Amino acid sequence: MNRHEQERIVNATALQSVCSALYQKVGVAQSDADTIAEMQVLMDLRGVHSHATRGVPGYVRGIISGNINPNPQLQTLADNPASVLLDGDRGLGHLVSIRAMNIAIEKAKSASIGVAVVRNSNHFGAASSHAMRALPHDMIGFATTNGLGVNTAVFGARSVSIGNNAFSYAIPAGEEPPIVLDMACGAAAAGRIGTARLYQEKIPLGWALDADGNETDDPGKVAVILPAAGPKGSALAIVMDVLCGPLSGGLMGINKRFQPGDAPLEKRVSSHFFFAINIASFTAVAEFKAEIDRQIRMTRQAMPRAGFTRVTLPGEIESELTQERLENGIPLHKEPLRALEQLADELDVEIPWDRQ
């Protein structure tokens, strides 16, 4: 069965309305629910399905179970002109991160750079959904996270020893789409491997090991994700872990999972790190954007090597997908879509599209 036979097309606006309604049903304020739903649908539009609305049932059920706080009261633990340390009150990770990134942006307006470090939060979705919040303010945005998900090997190891700590940079351009890097430090995000499993597709050798320590192309047998680019990927993962864990007063991911000791809960859950750089503090915004545009256009002129039809920049394909899917709808795998519909039935939320 090919991919198209496993998918249904859903309108972005309808999908967003359902997701917002689901969050509201479990106590998330309407304005917050609308914002979170918009962010998650944007990731579906960009083709990042593993960190988009596919995760809504898990977040909503986490709220129902009491593991996630739908209305966190963020506590400021340290506040300086260019930085803030926040306790996320075990809140919905998207909501905590929206507030944290907004603070970083506000600080950057006066201090040139704003940094927000968060502990005691939950999974925050796609890193780019937070880094991109800086773009309308003519700023460079950055976001990274760690948590309990230690699923990746440090270079040379066959056992899990680091989190697949994703990070994102968002850089504004002028007439061209922004440059948006969003990557896991492993050879692939766990969600991408999950997508391959969902579609019953093989993964490339070099992405993961099975329980016996052998490379596998079967996503159902993955026990350990390998680092991206050998030692480079695991080194990046360690650095992201430091920015989120110890810098927040918390723990490195491996210690959260294997040696939490007597550390309080707020140090053993998800932590995040954000910054925003105010371009106007360093150079003229128009000149900066014009130079980024020139770089993008020159890069596109590079001759593709064998097996490639074009040369693209980070975020370019996602930007094109967004425009196409806004017009034609979003292809979603039937299985996670049914899970979303089932949750809507349980919470008495109307589904505005035809079920199949």
Side-chain angles (χ1 to χ4, degrees), residues 74-88:
L74 272 64
Q75 181 183 357
T76 301
L77 304 176
D79 194 4
N80 298 288
S83 65
V84 65
L85 172 63
L86 301 168
D87 183 294

Side-chain angles (χ1 to χ4, degrees), residues 44-88:
D44 274 326
L45 287 167
R46 292 175 66 83
V48 191
H49 298 293
S50 59
H51 290 67
T53 60
R54 186 183 297 174
V56 171
Y59 298 128
V60 170
R61 296 193 189 282
I63 293 172
I64 293 170
S65 70
N67 291 326
I68 298 175
N69 184 352
N71 287 295
Q73 302 301 308
L74 272 64
Q75 181 183 357
T76 301
L77 304 176
D79 194 4
N80 298 288
S83 65
V84 65
L85 172 63
L86 301 168
D87 183 294

Side-chain angles (χ1 to χ4, degrees), residues 19-28 33 36 40 56 59-60 92:
C19 292
S20 177
L22 289 170
Y23 283 123
Q24 291 177 57
K25 284 284 187 176
V26 292
V28 180
I36 297 166
Q40 292 176 315
V56 171
Y59 298 128
V60 170
L92 188 61

Side-chain angles (χ1 to χ4, degrees), residues 7-339:
E7 296 172 339
R8 286 163 54 195
I9 304 298
V10 178
N11 174 269
T13 302
L15 183 61
Q16 187 171 317
S17 70
V18 168
C19 292
S20 177
L22 289 170
Y23 283 123
Q24 291 177 57
K25 284 284 187 176
V26 292
V28 180
Q30 181 178 348
S31 59
D32 292 333
D34 287 344
T35 300
I36 297 166
E38 181 181 4
M39 293 169 68
Q40 292 176 315
V41 171
L42 175 61
M43 289 302 111
D44 274 326
L45 287 167
R46 292 175 66 83
V48 191
H49 298 293
S50 59
H51 290 67
T53 60
R54 186 183 297 174
V56 171
Y59 298 128
V60 170
R61 296 193 189 282
I63 293 172
I64 293 170
S65 70
N67 291 326
I68 298 175
N69 184 352
N71 287 295
Q73 302 301 308
L74 272 64
Q75 181 183 357
T76 301
L77 304 176
D79 194 4
N80 298 288
S83 65
V84 65
L85 172 63
L86 301 168
D87 183 294
D89 194 23
R90 290 300 306 278
L92 188 61
H94 291 77
L95 182 54
V96 172
S97 299
I98 290 167
R99 294 177 182 175
M101 190 63 185
N102 285 346
I103 293 173
I105 290 167
E106 287 303 310
K107 287 186 176 292
K109 290 178 180 178
S110 57
S112 301
I113 185 168
V115 176
V117 182
V118 180
R119 71 186 192 203
N120 196 21
S121 182
N122 279 286
H123 190 267
F124 75 173
S128 58
S129 65
H130 306 296
M132 290 169 66
R133 297 187 71 80
L135 295 175
H137 302 276
D138 291 331
M139 296 184 185
I140 297 171
F142 174 85
T144 187
T145 187
N146 80 352
L148 291 169
V150 179
N151 57 5
T152 303
V154 168
F155 181 66
R158 57 172 284 183
S159 60
V160 295
S161 42
I162 194 74
N164 197 353
N165 301 322
F167 67 92
S168 174
Y169 282 94
I171 302 169
E175 297 175 358
E176 298 293 341
I179 295 175
V180 180
L181 167 66
D182 190 345
M183 60 171 278
C185 292
R192 189 171 181 186
I193 293 172
T195 296
R197 186 167 57 249
L198 193 65
Y199 282 91
Q200 299 181 358
E201 297 173 343
K202 298 289 187 182
I203 59 173
L205 290 173
W207 276 18
L209 304 178
D210 62 20
D212 296 321
N214 301 312
E215 289 192 18
T216 182
D217 62 1
D218 184 345
K221 293 182 178 179
V222 170
V224 181
I225 298 173
L226 290 169
K232 297 179 182 179
S234 60
L236 280 171
I238 291 169
V239 172
M240 298 306 120
D241 218 347
V242 170
L243 292 175
C244 297
L247 191 61
S248 73
L251 304 174
M252 296 286 282
I254 193 168
N255 293 329
K256 292 181 184 182
R257 177 169 175 178
F258 297 116
Q259 290 185 321
D262 295 325
L265 181 61
E266 62 267 20
K267 293 189 176 187
R268 292 187 277 117
V269 290
S270 292
S271 304
H272 319 305
F273 177 95
F274 309 94
F275 71 63
I277 300 175
N278 189 350
I279 294 167
S281 296
F282 302 95
T283 188
V285 172
E287 292 181 8
F288 176 92
K289 289 183 173 181
E291 179 60 16
I292 297 298
D293 280 352
R294 281 193 290 270
Q295 191 270 345
I296 291 171
R297 290 163 184 164
M298 289 297 293
T299 300
R300 288 198 191 115
Q301 294 178 28
M303 183 173 294
R305 64 186 179 91
F308 293 81
T309 58
R310 56 186 288 211
V311 177
T312 59
L313 287 99
E316 187 170 4
I317 292 173
E318 291 85 348
S319 178
E320 294 171 354
L321 268 179
T322 298
Q323 297 308 310
E324 188 272 326
R325 290 178 173 184
L326 281 171
E327 294 179 9
N328 301 317
I330 302 170
L332 298 176
H333 192 280
K334 294 177 181 179
E335 185 176 319
L337 187 58
R338 281 192 214 98

